[in-house]
Amino acid sequence: MQTYSVCFKPLGKTVEVEKGTSLMDAARKAGVFIDAPCGGKGQCGKCRVKVLGGENRYQPSHLLTQKELKQGIRLACLTEVEGDMTVELMQTDTINDIIVEDITSDFGKQARVNRAIKILEKSGIKIQNSFDIIRVKLNQPSLDDNIPDFERILRELKLMVKPGELSCSVEVFRKMPRVIREAGFDVSLVLHKDEKAYEILDITTQKSKKIYGLCVDIGTTTVASCLVGLSTGEIEASASCGNLQMQYGGDVISRIIYSTKPGGLEKLHRAIVHDTVNKLIKQMVDKRGCNPEDIVCSVFAGNTTMAHLFLGIPAENIRLEPYIPAFRNFPVIKAKDIALHINPNAPVYMLPNVASYVGGDIVSGVLASGFWNSDEITLFMDLGTNGELVLGNREWMVACACSAGPAFEGGDISCGMRAAPGAIEEVRIDTKTFIPSIKTIGNTRPRGICGSGIIDLIAGMFLSGIIDRKGKIRQITRNRRIRFNHTAGCWEYLLVPAEGTAHGRDIVINEIDIDNFLRAKGAVYSGIKTLLNSVGLDGGDIKKVIIAGGIGQNLDIESAIKIGLLPDIDRGKFEFIGNSSLTGAYLCLISDKARQKAGQIADLMTYIELSADPAYMEEFVSACFLPHTDMSLFPSASAI
């Protein structure tokens, strides 16, 4: 097979590929990140590149204008290599630009963490972990005292901590003789205690060694992590970035499908462990000035699919009826088992899944929210790439996952983007002139529109009469912002003209985009209704709505209610708690009892498979209108 070279500028990376390879696959082979929310199907238009030279064959797409084609702009997924090529990346730092919701960057977020800790303490859960470092002075061996090194350590430990059974890995055994003698028989031991025994995780000459734990939220789009002092519980460093698996698809279904291709599972596993998590670990270790082997414990929270891909376990059965994952409670493994760059003997805890589409991130979030310890009927919502819902209180919980797709993070929207500098996050529309006012993240020139901005935009278009209840644009005359897009074959609203954008292209929303978003919001609201119906309740019975996830930070409650995304109830019942998944993982790191409580929460949840509920589809169809077919459910919107 004939091969050709492809050079990606400005990175200067070159790769040899076979004739007919797509530029997307060439980029993946070269280790070059190109965003592909649709998984390379030519549906999102986000993988724009500029061909500077070389023979290629491309499929036409309505997502590119004739002007862009003349400039050499192509979609990487629809362009095949026919000769040596030079390609310019149009966005070189997309993965690092994404705004990630963490738990440390300001006082308000730290207050949420402190509140979560107080919830545990109030319920009688001790903030105590089973990791310790102790200094052991050994008697030097002699002809009269010639027991082996390991037994010598055990003899001293029995006097200090009564360890019972003691174990350690072969790696520790291999370094034990050298370290003991280099330390002059005065060593420090890193110990992990379970119910009946101790394990030596490490042995060192250091007299005042500090040990750390790692907690990580593995999101479909973003990954956030913290480095925590295990003796103090203090968060000493944090790091976050986009999940490098994004180049293989923006949602879990796309990635599951990719994982079934030859070598696909291995690539996805490497993308999250090696290319994402290990790099975040290095950032934090460098920032703190410690050694990766000082990290002796880790806790991970992620949805069911992310947990499978992180561990390198086939996930294809999750998307096939009857939707069976490989595991619910994964046994504790060692960091070395998955090439995690921390102490090789460090335990790796995966927070338990509930079902195929409700995973450890939701269990972790519910733990952090504290509603598991309340009598009030509470609705917990995590609105990210996926939409998960939990309804209940301390006595019962029902949960479901809504097939919302990536619309809340800008996916499936022609000018949509994730939350990053230049993303339009707030929109207001003048009801008479239809002229919008916008606010962007970072107050920079707009590049696209993210989830909170899309919600504002659709609410504004609806309330100003630009769109009807079906989401169709009214062809209003004498307004230049309402126009027909002949390439897309539908009407659109011009939000920002090309001369006002960062990339020189119009930012618009069209009827296809609106329809995609209405399906996403309809999936969420119909999920809420289905959960309420399953336990014989209605919206008025909800005493509190807890919203987690990145979108919650800038979500306008009024806009969300006006379009029918959230129930029309007292606004004082809504509460934002940020990255609850990472907060919960942090709690499970500093408290063994909190990890046990997470398992109990998972056991308490009853999962409802919406696709198997005959009433769900009827609810979904009714919710795909603005705000709903039953206007009595939304009295505030009806009044307007």
Side-chain angles (χ1 to χ4, degrees):
M1 178 66 76
Q2 197 168 3
T3 62
Y4 297 104
S5 66
V6 180
C7 177
F8 291 94
K9 291 191 173 184
L11 301 180
K13 289 189 176 183
T14 302
V15 65
E16 291 284 329
V17 297
E18 295 181 352
K19 180 180 179 179
T21 300
S22 73
L23 285 179
M24 177 67 72
D25 286 336
R28 289 167 175 166
K29 185 176 180 180
V32 172
F33 177 81
I34 296 180
D35 201 5
C38 71
K41 300 173 185 175
Q43 297 172 351
C44 67
K46 303 294 193 294
C47 61
R48 283 178 166 87
V49 295
K50 188 173 185 179
V51 176
L52 301 180
E55 295 184 28
N56 63 90
R57 182 173 61 189
Y58 68 91
Q59 298 178 41
S61 170
H62 72 274
L63 298 170
L64 295 177
T65 64
Q66 288 300 315
K67 180 181 178 181
E68 288 176 317
L69 290 172
K70 289 178 182 178
Q71 293 172 341
I73 296 173
R74 303 286 185 268
L75 298 184
C77 64
L78 298 182
T79 305
E80 294 181 353
V81 176
E82 294 288 318
D84 294 338
M85 294 184 65
T86 302
V87 177
E88 181 181 359
L89 300 173
M90 301 188 71
Q91 294 184 27
T92 57
D93 203 26
T94 309
I95 195 71
N96 295 316
D97 280 346
I98 300 173
I99 306 296
V100 183
E101 180 74 15
D102 63 16
I103 60 174
T104 60
S105 59
D106 60 41
F107 176 78
K109 292 174 182 177
Q110 186 60 50
R112 290 173 187 161
V113 174
N114 294 338
R115 173 183 171 275
I117 291 174
K118 288 179 180 178
I119 290 171
L120 293 185
E121 292 175 332
K122 189 176 179 180
S123 65
I125 294 177
K126 285 186 177 181
I127 307 301
Q128 184 178 14
N129 62 71
S130 53
F131 296 85
D132 198 6
I133 181 164
I134 64 172
R135 186 173 173 183
V136 180
K137 293 184 178 181
L138 304 171
N139 293 325
Q140 294 202 21
S142 65
L143 291 176
D144 295 325
D145 182 13
N146 60 357
I147 65 173
D149 293 338
F150 182 68
E151 283 71 13
R152 190 172 300 275
I153 289 174
L154 179 59
R155 182 175 65 186
E156 293 301 320
L157 282 179
K158 284 182 177 179
L159 299 175
M160 300 172 68
V161 295
K162 300 178 181 179
E165 186 180 338
L166 183 69
S167 66
C168 66
S169 68
V170 67
E171 290 94 347
V172 174
F173 266 115
R174 286 169 178 163
K175 64 191 294 189
M176 187 180 294
R178 173 184 57 80
V179 170
I180 287 176
R181 284 152 184 84
E182 285 180 357
F185 291 84
D186 184 0
V187 298
S188 293
L189 300 177
V190 179
L191 298 177
H192 175 218
K193 182 181 184 302
D194 63 18
E195 294 180 358
K196 297 180 180 179
Y198 276 85
E199 179 184 6
I200 301 175
L201 299 179
D202 203 3
I203 181 170
T204 177
T205 61
Q206 294 176 255
K207 300 298 186 292
S208 57
K209 183 181 176 69
K210 191 169 185 178
I211 56 174
Y212 300 89
L214 170 73
C215 57
V216 184
D217 164 42
I218 306 176
T220 309
T221 302
T222 59
V223 178
S225 60
C226 291
L227 185 67
V228 180
L230 285 178
S231 60
T232 64
E234 182 181 352
I235 299 174
E236 304 209 8
S238 62
S240 57
C241 69
N243 184 335
L244 263 293
Q245 291 180 340
M246 284 191 294
Q247 60 192 307
Y248 303 105
D251 56 71
V252 295
I253 299 300
S254 298
R255 293 185 203 171
I256 291 173
I257 292 172
Y258 189 85
S259 73
T260 62
K261 297 180 179 181
L265 180 59
E266 291 76 14
K267 291 178 182 177
L268 288 162
H269 173 64
R270 179 179 175 82
I272 182 59
V273 175
H274 179 76
D275 299 334
T276 304
V277 174
N278 280 342
K279 288 185 177 180
L280 294 179
I281 292 170
K282 186 178 188 307
Q283 288 179 32
M284 293 188 291
V285 164
D286 290 347
K287 190 184 301 183
R288 187 65 188 84
C290 60
N291 191 307
E293 293 205 358
D294 295 339
I295 305 173
V296 298
C297 177
S298 61
V299 176
F300 290 83
N303 66 52
T304 308
T305 299
M306 290 301 100
H308 281 62
L309 299 180
F310 175 73
L311 296 166
I313 295 172
E316 59 261 35
N317 292 316
I318 291 175
R319 65 176 285 265
L320 302 174
E321 193 173 347
Y323 317 112
I324 304 299
F327 62 89
R328 183 173 178 271
N329 292 287
F330 197 79
V332 181
I333 59 173
K334 300 292 188 181
K336 61 188 175 184
D337 296 332
I338 53 172
L340 199 61
H341 289 175
I342 60 177
N343 189 298
N345 300 306
V348 176
Y349 297 98
M350 299 295 302
L351 292 185
N353 302 317
V354 176
S356 53
Y357 294 109
V358 173
D361 54 342
I362 302 305
V363 172
S364 184
V366 170
L367 174 71
S369 74
F371 91 79
W372 51 270
N373 196 35
S374 171
D375 293 321
E376 292 184 332
I377 303 297
T378 301
L379 174 64
F380 176 90
M381 307 177 67
D382 191 320
L383 300 178
T385 309
N386 312 297
E388 294 99 348
L389 310 170
V390 183
L391 179 72
N393 59 16
R394 70 166 78 238
E395 296 181 353
W396 58 270
M397 294 181 193
V398 289
C400 70
C402 312
S403 55
F408 293 118
E409 296 192 346
D412 294 337
I413 310 296
S414 56
C415 292
M417 64 179 290
R418 301 178 183 94
I424 299 170
E425 61 177 345
E426 292 182 16
V427 180
R428 296 292 180 267
I429 296 178
D430 187 289
T431 57
K432 294 182 179 179
T433 64
F434 301 151
I435 296 174
S437 59
I438 64 171
K439 177 187 175 185
T440 62
I441 295 176
N443 294 316
T444 62
R445 289 171 73 88
R447 293 169 41 206
I449 182 165
C450 64
S452 61
I454 296 168
I455 291 171
D456 278 355
L457 176 57
I458 292 178
M461 293 174 72
F462 177 51
L463 297 177
S464 60
I466 296 174
I467 57 177
D468 61 22
R469 291 181 60 195
K470 294 180 180 179
K472 299 301 179 184
I473 294 176
R474 294 189 172 105
Q475 291 115 55
I476 302 167
T477 57
R478 296 190 180 91
N479 194 295
R480 66 183 183 86
R481 291 185 179 273
I482 310 298
R483 65 193 190 186
F484 190 79
N485 185 323
H486 292 278
T487 304
C490 63
W491 290 86
E492 66 184 16
Y493 170 79
L494 175 63
L495 183 60
V496 185
E499 59 269 21
T501 67
H503 45 52
R505 300 192 304 272
D506 291 341
I507 295 177
V508 302
I509 187 167
N510 60 44
E511 291 175 322
I512 298 172
D513 298 329
I514 296 170
D515 188 54
N516 286 336
F517 196 82
L518 290 188
R519 286 202 300 271
K521 80 92 184 173
V524 172
Y525 187 79
S526 55
I528 296 171
K529 284 283 289 178
T530 301
L531 288 186
L532 288 167
N533 293 340
S534 71
V535 290
L537 301 176
D538 59 33
D541 295 310
I542 299 174
K543 302 305 179 185
K544 183 182 290 187
V545 179
I546 298 174
I547 302 175
I551 195 174
Q553 192 68 20
N554 296 303
L555 179 67
D556 186 285
I557 291 294
E558 288 298 331
S559 293
I561 290 174
K562 293 302 186 295
I563 68 170
L565 171 63
L566 299 178
D568 194 350
I569 59 177
D570 180 4
R571 303 336 184 227
K573 293 182 177 181
F574 292 91
E575 176 186 356
F576 302 115
I577 62 169
N579 191 336
S580 60
S581 175
L582 183 58
T583 302
Y586 165 76
L587 297 177
C588 291
L589 182 67
I590 64 173
S591 169
D592 294 340
K593 295 296 184 182
R595 270 201 317 275
Q596 295 176 17
K597 174 55 68 175
Q600 293 168 12
I601 290 171
D603 291 339
L604 186 61
M605 288 189 198
T606 299
Y607 178 69
I608 296 177
E609 179 55 61
L610 296 181
S611 64
D613 190 318
Y616 171 71
M617 186 51 66
E618 184 178 342
E619 291 286 355
F620 173 70
V621 171
S622 298
C624 287
F625 287 78
L626 291 167
H628 196 276
T629 56
D630 184 357
M631 291 298 290
S632 67
L633 295 171
F634 294 89
S636 62
S638 181
I640 293 174

